[in-house]
Amino acid sequence: MADVLPYKPRPGEIPTDPGVYRFRDADGRVLYVGKAKNLRQRLSNYFAPLRTLHERTRRMVTTAASVEWTVVATDVDSLQLEYMWIKEFDPPFNVRYRDDKSYPFMAITLGDEAPRVMVTRNRRIPGARYFGPYPKVWAVHETIDLMVKAFPIRTCSDSSYRRAMQTGRPCFPGQIGKCGGPCSMTVTIEEHRAMVDDFVAFMAGGDERFTRDLTKRMLAASAAMDYEAAARFRDKLSAIEAVLGKSALVLPSDEDADLFGIAEDELSAAVHHFVIRGGRVRGVRSLAVDKELDISRGELVDQILQRVYGESADIPRRVLVPTLPDDAAELEQWLRDRRGRRVEIAVAQRGQRAELMRTATLNAQQALLRHKTRRTSDYVARTQALTDLQEALGMDEAPLRIECFDISHLGGTNVVASMVVFEDGLPRKDQYRSFNIAETTDDTDSMYQVLMRRLARVDSGPETDEDDEAEGRRRPRFAYRPQLLVVDGGQPQVQAAARALRDSGRTEIALCGIAKRLEEIWVPDDDFPVILPRTSEALYLVQRLRDEAHRFAITHQRKRRRRDIQSVLKEIPGLGDARIKALLTHFGSVTALRASSPEQISEVAGIGPVLAATIHAHLAGGLAPATR
């Protein structure tokens, strides 16, 4: 058995946010649901060497075929979402992993003459209404203890109830104030049934009308100087507020809505759909979309809503989207006809809705990243991508090694370049390189310089050297010849790269460039670009190469800029590491520090007026704002 799972996420792919994750088998069945304050940290435990895992954990991860996660705003949200998914999917490894039993539920036995609230693992009680599941038994008891203070319904056993009703003496829990059923001899069966209905209504939706009603009754009792009744209402109100505080509603308790977060690029989009009923997240759906045409965000929203509600009759009163489509009024009418009642399409602009939209958008961004990464990581897709790229560029051999170059600068200064390497369609981060360019006239000159430096290191000898291998020597990685060079840019950058290939005598290496605006592929000495289909695996590969080169260049630029500003500050007499750190911490950024006055600089601990004036003079006319 291999020691590494084939579906292990790529390094850096898992976010560090709180969230909930699911393991699925090859048939898509959910095997395990868990929550984490830090998804990356928690999931890394499952992908440790298999020999180090507990037997149950090893059996789960080897049975699974994939893992997915949903990022949430807070740890409380992840708890609520975990409850909902455990209830929805009934994952087999959740049951066995916890305590070899099912999760405990809160049940109200509505089929009884005097319904009782109880903790149970039995899901087959006739006429019972269930709430949960809960991760621990004590969590159910804690909720029940809070609820019966506000809604004192029956908690005693059936035998105690029958005995009390036959003898006319209160049950023992009723005698100590722990049971409010008819067996306590304080209410009738009809009055108790009404209280049970309120209990169920509150648990079903966290209805805050109970809070308002109790507040009014408490104030009325207080005004009438019935302080004992006011105290009882106060205690019930405190209990309800305690339950509401633990329920972590994402929207008002009477809100039914669908919320769509969208992340997109030129070729594809990911949609994260929160289904909210009664103010709580009741379901989460994700959708990946390949865009055949370059469409606007509003058109994309239009198509998504048509697809989702064309296949579903579960339409809420409100649909929240990041951008209103042009035909929003028509869509509302279409949804109204399907639902039979009014439907509103709105943009989540502020408050809880905007916060939830940010969470959904973050999940969509993660989904888009996984979608693109997995397409280029899949063996069949990689093979197809390399074959399509070979044919599109007219290459004699498949580009098994591809190198991509990008130029980055700060307002024309501090020019740097990046080189990323893909072999067999996968990144080789150990072979990435970065370049500093001292003097240059423009991006094309920078590209020429970098490629000349790179091509000078390509080994002219054979790809393998038997004598070196026999003696245990390896060829330097920088010496391997790529089959294809990719540059970030259009025809000017491609022509500069072609000149470098000619001047270095490396014309056997194929070359192309990718223009950002229309995702066009440019080749040397051609007036027209190569247009790859929007859903082409080859275009996905080239796009990822470009994006990775851009990311690596920007990362190098930022590191260099931090070193530069610290070097500038260290030149100032009287500034040591501690004061430099205090300055950057206080102002938060180099831009804010440069824009500050001597008086503002002197507010930093340890910086006097004279030193503040010196710092201001040194930074005046300093580094330019960062640009691409």
Side-chain angles (χ1 to χ4, degrees), residues 150-151 198 207-221 233-234 236-237 240:
F151 306 96
D198 286 343
D207 195 342
E208 294 187 8
R209 67 182 173 87
F210 295 105
T211 303
R212 295 191 295 269
D213 180 62
L214 283 173
T215 301
K216 291 179 181 178
R217 296 171 70 181
M218 179 183 68
L219 295 175
F233 293 138
R234 179 202 60 200
K236 291 182 178 182
L237 184 62
I240 285 182

Side-chain angles (χ1 to χ4, degrees), residues 445-461:
D445 178 61
S446 300
M447 186 66 71
Y448 176 81
Q449 288 190 45
V450 169
L451 286 175
M452 288 298 292
R453 291 163 59 182
R454 162 68 188 110
L455 295 170
R457 301 289 296 275
V458 175
D459 192 347
S460 300

Side-chain angles (χ1 to χ4, degrees), residues 339-357:
R339 182 173 184 256
R341 285 180 289 174
R342 182 174 180 270
V343 178
E344 176 190 6
I345 301 176
V347 176
Q349 294 181 325
R350 61 180 65 86
Q352 292 174 297
R353 297 176 185 175
E355 183 63 32
L356 196 60
M357 178 61 76

